[in-house]
Amino acid sequence: MIIVVPIILIILYLFVCAILARSMGLVKCIDPSIAYQKENRRHFLDGYKNWKKEEYIIKSFDGYELHATYIPSAIPSKKYVILVHSSTYCRIGGIKYFNIFQKMGYNGILFDLRGHGDNKKSPSTWGIKESKDLLSVINDTVNRFGNDIKIGVHGECLGGVTALTALKYNPHISFVIADSCYNSLYSLLCKLAQQVAHVSPVLFDPAEIFFKLMFGFSYKNIFTKDSLRGNKIPVCFIQGDSDCVVPVNDTMELESATKGYTEMHIFEGADHTRNILVDAERYEAIIKHFLYSVKCLELAA
């Protein structure tokens, strides 16, 4: 009996670690209809309801189908922005940002990350496959609208990391706006585990072994900054100083890793991905100034 009890406790502990590992890969996503209601309550969709839009499917690099929405500019334009949502959310979350670009004559492309929104259920690879999905969206956009178009990418949290990770493939884009982006995936998941379980994340280190067995890669080896070495595409980093998930130091590490033009803007009192909610006017001004600084203002007039 003395031996049995510790064995049972160890089995239970490993079982909990396995459940945690599974939840890190098969993330629980919000239902698109609920996300719509949430964004609508904040009046982010007031204009969207009256805009022309087209929904279609993009085949990604591995045949996975990505649900997308195209919103044409009111006036014909060669300017396009691809908006990439955060983990557990869906493409409707990009509308609050497109509201800004729409004023500047941009066409908008929104798509659901794999495993999210209207897409088929699939494990999240936290930027590995998602960055290649983004490349597929970029290539599809060029094929649909021509080689002479200008494309920018805006992403928040995982969406921003997806855009930053895609930079190592030298995509056909002119700029990236990265909001609330983490550098170390391990640190991010440790903080999320700590928030859920309220214990030291070190206790869940065995979860990494289960995660690797389940999904084929180790989250301890994922660093967003590794994709930025040698990058020369302009990047605008936006971060909240009260972010309970991603520390400001992560943004500083990302900015120091890239070789291109960068800007970094810190929003006081802003929690994770809440920067635009804290000060929407400043957020819009930052985007306009950034586009001017990277010589895109004439495209965004």
Side-chain angles (χ1 to χ4, degrees), residues 83-96:
L83 300 117
V84 197
H85 63 83
S86 59
S87 178
T88 75
Y89 218 59
C90 60
R91 65 186 187 273
I92 198 69
I95 295 299
K96 57 181 167 287

Side-chain angles (χ1 to χ4, degrees), residues 122 130 158 243 291 297:
S122 177
E130 288 80 1
L158 176 57
D243 194 322
L291 292 174
L297 184 61

Side-chain angles (χ1 to χ4, degrees), residues 211-223:
F211 185 93
K212 190 171 184 179
L213 289 172
M214 293 175 184
F215 305 110
F217 69 96
S218 171
Y219 53 68
K220 285 188 175 182
N221 300 324
I222 305 297
F223 294 92

Side-chain angles (χ1 to χ4, degrees), residues 30-88:
I30 190 170
D31 183 276
S33 63
I34 295 177
Y36 185 95
Q37 295 172 14
K38 184 177 179 180
E39 298 297 309
N40 189 43
R41 284 195 299 269
R42 292 171 172 166
H43 298 285
F44 289 133
L45 306 183
D46 291 351
Y48 171 78
K49 297 172 186 176
N50 299 317
W51 294 337
K52 293 181 179 179
K53 56 189 81 71
E54 175 189 351
E55 295 191 357
Y56 55 101
I57 292 176
I58 299 170
K59 284 255 180 128
S60 192
F61 69 99
D62 58 355
Y64 185 82
E65 294 185 341
L66 302 166
H67 284 75
T69 301
Y70 165 57
I71 307 173
S73 172
I75 300 174
S77 168
K78 296 285 187 180
K79 302 167 296 188
Y80 291 78
V81 61
I82 298 173
L83 300 117
V84 197
H85 63 83
S86 59
S87 178
T88 75

Side-chain angles (χ1 to χ4, degrees), residues 108-161:
I109 308 288
L110 303 98
F111 74 99
D112 290 325
L113 290 169
R114 64 173 55 214
H116 294 69
D118 294 321
N119 296 335
K120 289 184 179 179
K121 294 303 178 185
S122 177
S124 173
T125 61
W126 295 96
I128 298 175
K129 290 184 178 180
E130 288 80 1
S131 61
K132 294 181 180 180
D133 291 337
L134 176 57
L135 288 179
S136 298
V137 175
I138 293 170
N139 292 335
D140 178 85
T141 303
V142 172
N143 291 336
R144 286 175 186 269
F145 304 109
N147 290 319
D148 59 339
I149 63 174
K150 297 290 184 180
I151 303 175
V153 180
H154 178 290
E156 63 174 10
C157 190
L158 176 57
V161 168

